[in-house]
Amino acid sequence: MEDRLRRIEHDRAIRDLKMRYLRSADAKDPDAMRDCFAPDAHIAFQGFPDFEDRDSFIDIYRELGCAPGIFDIHQGGTGIIEFYGATYATGWWPLYFHNINLAERTLTQLGVEYDDRYELREGRWWIVESRSRQKSCLIHSIDEDGISKAIAIGEAPGMFGATDKPSD
């Protein structure tokens, strides 16, 4: 009974950790986001270079994700957590991502899947590896009159948030 209770507590802690990460992204809170990842975390998000530590990832997040005129919603679905021993777990998460970029005048919607690894270190769970891949994409450009035009459907072009606009 004690082991079952501990497993439930660990499962809840990992779910809370993932939601803190997503919430910190929406809140533009890089310090809270940094606290979700182990110092040596490996982060590989489709459309970005791989990051071998949390600080290099947070630096890019500060520059791109916290820029003025960027509005995000990360809506995470119910994840699947699997435990491997007392201090190691994996998680799979579906995500709906919605982005408004005022400077680029774009609206981006992505379906994303995360595959994460977690480790229990010094009494708390950390994300030690996070990988994402885009499953679907819809990017709209918004003209000066507020008229929306789909410029990407299916796979996201180039770097995340970039729009390789088709030539007319």
Side-chain angles (χ1 to χ4, degrees):
M1 182 68 126
E2 199 171 298
D3 288 341
R4 289 177 59 199
L5 179 59
R6 187 173 9 263
R7 167 92 31 121
I8 291 169
E9 289 172 341
H10 288 309
D11 183 274
R12 180 78 247 173
I14 290 171
R15 290 178 190 284
D16 288 351
L17 173 64
K18 187 63 174 187
M19 291 306 111
R20 276 196 314 275
Y21 160 71
L22 297 175
R23 198 167 173 204
S24 67
D26 292 343
K28 312 288 187 220
D29 188 344
D31 294 328
M33 182 182 287
R34 183 180 184 275
D35 192 50
C36 296
F37 292 96
D40 58 343
H42 178 79
I43 301 159
F45 292 165
Q46 183 178 346
F48 287 95
D50 286 2
F51 301 96
E52 297 300 327
D53 62 81
R54 70 181 178 193
D55 290 330
S56 58
F57 172 70
I58 294 300
D59 289 345
I60 292 295
Y61 170 72
R62 281 183 204 276
E63 178 184 337
L64 300 177
C66 297
I70 300 291
F71 304 95
D72 295 333
I73 298 173
H74 295 75
Q75 181 63 53
T78 302
I80 298 171
I81 308 294
E82 294 184 28
F83 289 92
Y84 301 90
T87 62
Y88 177 76
T90 61
W92 171 87
W93 305 91
L95 175 79
Y96 169 74
F97 174 76
H98 179 85
N99 167 269
I100 298 171
N101 183 323
L102 295 181
E104 297 292 323
R105 301 188 62 83
T106 57
L107 169 72
T108 301
Q109 299 171 348
L110 298 175
V112 177
E113 290 182 349
Y114 283 100
D115 288 304
D116 293 343
R117 286 189 318 111
Y118 307 95
E119 286 185 18
L120 183 64
R121 297 180 183 174
E122 299 175 10
R124 65 162 284 195
W125 287 95
W126 297 89
I127 301 170
V128 296
E129 182 175 3
S130 187
R131 296 180 174 277
S132 76
R133 67 189 163 282
Q134 298 169 10
K135 302 296 286 182
S136 65
C137 173
L138 176 59
I139 301 174
H140 284 255
S141 65
I142 312 296
D143 70 18
E144 295 297 325
D145 295 324
I147 306 296
S148 172
K149 177 183 176 185
I151 59 172
I153 298 174
E155 294 185 33
M159 167 153 297
F160 171 80
T163 56
D164 299 325
K165 297 180 182 175
S167 58
D168 292 320

